[in-house]
Amino acid sequence: MDPSGIVGIVVALVAILGAQALEGGNPASLILPGPLLLVWVGTIGAGMAGHTLADSKGAFARIPKVMRAKAPDPGATVDTVISLADRARREGLLALEDAARDIDDDFLKSGLQAAIDGTDPEDLRMILEDRITTKRTADRVHSKYFSDLGGYAPTLGIIGTVIALVHVLENLANPGELGSQIAVAFLATLWGLLSANVVWLPLAARIKRLSDQECTQMEVTLEGLIALQAGANPRLVGERLRSMLPSTKAEPKTTKSKGKQEKAA
C-alpha cells in the first residue's frame, strides 16, 4: 500500500485546522451543516449532472482502491519476463505453462497464456494494446470526474456565500449580529476551496498518476511477451525493457552493475 494519498490529505487538513487554532479560532466553528450540505452535496450533484450515472458510481467506487493502491514496480516485471524468456529459450514456450499459473499479475498471466496457446504475435499485440487503451480510457474518465468536482466546488462555495450575505443584508437592523453572520457566510467559500484543493483535485491527480504507472508496466509487459514469444535473447530483452522504464527505476540496476565491476577490478 502506498500511504501518500491518505497521509497527504490528513497533513493538509491538520495544517488548515492548526492554522485556525493558532489564530485563536475554534476549529469546531468551521463545522456548520448549511455550508457543508451546499458545498459537498451540491458539488456531487453538479458532477453527476455532467457525467453519466455509471461514471459517478465508478469514480466513487474507485476511491478506496486508489487510496490503498500500491505503486506498480515495472522493474520486478522486467525481472520476471527475463526469467521467463531464459526458460523459454532453454526449454521451449510450452514449458512456461506451470510458471504462468504462479504469476500474480493478471495482465502478464493472460498474455503469457495466450502466447503459450500459439496466438499470432500481431494478434497478441493488438489484444494487449486494446486492453491498455481500455484501461487508460476508464482511468481518464474517473480522473476527469474528480477534476470536474474540483472545478465546481469553489463556485458552489461562492454561491453559498452570496446566499448567506443576502440573509445578512436582510438583518441590517441588528448590527450586533452582523459580524458573526458575515463570518459564517464565508464558510461556504472556505469549504468550496478546501474540498477542491484537498480532496477532489488530489484524487484526480492520484488516479491519473497511478494509471500512468500501471499502463507503463503493462506496455513493458507487452513488449516483453512479444520478445519472449519470438525467442529473443534474454539479455537483449532485459536491455530493451529497462530502456522503457523511467530513469529512477533503471538506476538501481546500473548502480548494482557498477558495484560488481568495481569489485571485479
Side-chain angles (χ1 to χ4, degrees):
M1 174 180 172
D2 179 7
S4 63
I6 297 173
V7 171
I9 290 175
V10 170
V11 168
L13 289 175
V14 168
I16 293 168
L17 297 177
Q20 166 79 354
L22 289 174
E23 290 295 326
N26 181 5
S29 65
L30 303 179
I31 311 298
L32 288 178
L36 290 174
L37 177 68
L38 175 67
V39 171
W40 290 96
V41 178
T43 298
I44 293 172
M48 292 177 65
H51 293 262
T52 66
L53 185 59
D55 292 342
S56 301
K57 289 181 178 178
F60 281 102
R62 187 77 189 275
I63 293 177
K65 299 176 184 177
V66 168
M67 301 309 288
R68 295 196 306 263
K70 180 180 178 181
D73 183 8
T77 300
V78 170
D79 293 338
T80 301
V81 171
I82 292 172
S83 175
L84 293 170
D86 182 60
R87 183 175 174 185
R89 203 171 191 207
R90 287 185 287 103
E91 304 175 22
L93 202 56
L94 293 177
L96 300 181
E97 279 200 278
D98 292 337
R101 298 191 190 99
D102 299 328
I103 294 174
D104 295 329
D105 186 335
D106 291 336
F107 185 78
L108 174 57
K109 184 175 184 177
S110 62
L112 179 59
Q113 190 60 58
I116 293 170
D117 292 340
T119 304
D120 182 80
E122 289 302 319
D123 291 338
L124 179 60
R125 177 180 290 277
M126 182 177 65
I127 291 169
L128 297 182
E129 285 180 345
D130 286 346
R131 288 186 59 184
I132 295 172
T133 300
T134 300
K135 174 177 174 48
R136 183 177 279 118
T137 300
D139 291 339
R140 289 295 180 270
V141 169
H142 297 156
S143 177
K144 186 178 185 306
Y145 182 86
F146 289 118
S147 180
D148 287 348
L149 294 191
Y152 298 141
T155 304
L156 282 162
I158 292 173
I159 292 172
T161 296
V162 171
I163 292 172
L165 288 176
V166 169
H167 181 65
V168 169
L169 294 174
E170 290 175 347
N171 292 275
L172 290 178
N174 301 314
E177 300 177 4
L178 291 181
S180 60
Q181 290 179 352
I182 292 173
V184 169
F186 283 101
L187 278 182
T189 297
L190 170 65
W191 278 108
L193 293 170
L194 187 152
S195 62
N197 292 283
V198 176
V199 179
W200 304 131
L201 294 179
L203 268 176
R206 184 171 176 83
I207 290 173
K208 185 177 184 302
R209 176 58 179 153
L210 286 172
S211 175
D212 289 341
Q213 290 180 317
E214 290 167 356
C215 288
T216 295
Q217 182 175 14
M218 293 168 78
E219 288 166 354
V220 168
T221 301
L222 185 158
E223 296 299 333
L225 287 171
I226 296 299
L228 180 154
Q229 189 181 38
N233 185 307
R235 182 179 63 82
L236 296 178
V237 172
E239 291 181 2
R240 159 75 173 133
L241 298 185
R242 289 192 186 104
S243 70
M244 298 175 62
L245 301 182
S247 58
T248 53
K249 296 291 184 182
E251 279 171 8
K253 296 288 183 181
T254 305
T255 304
K256 190 179 289 185
S257 61
K258 283 183 180 179
K260 289 181 179 178
Q261 290 174 2
E262 289 173 1
K263 286 182 181 179

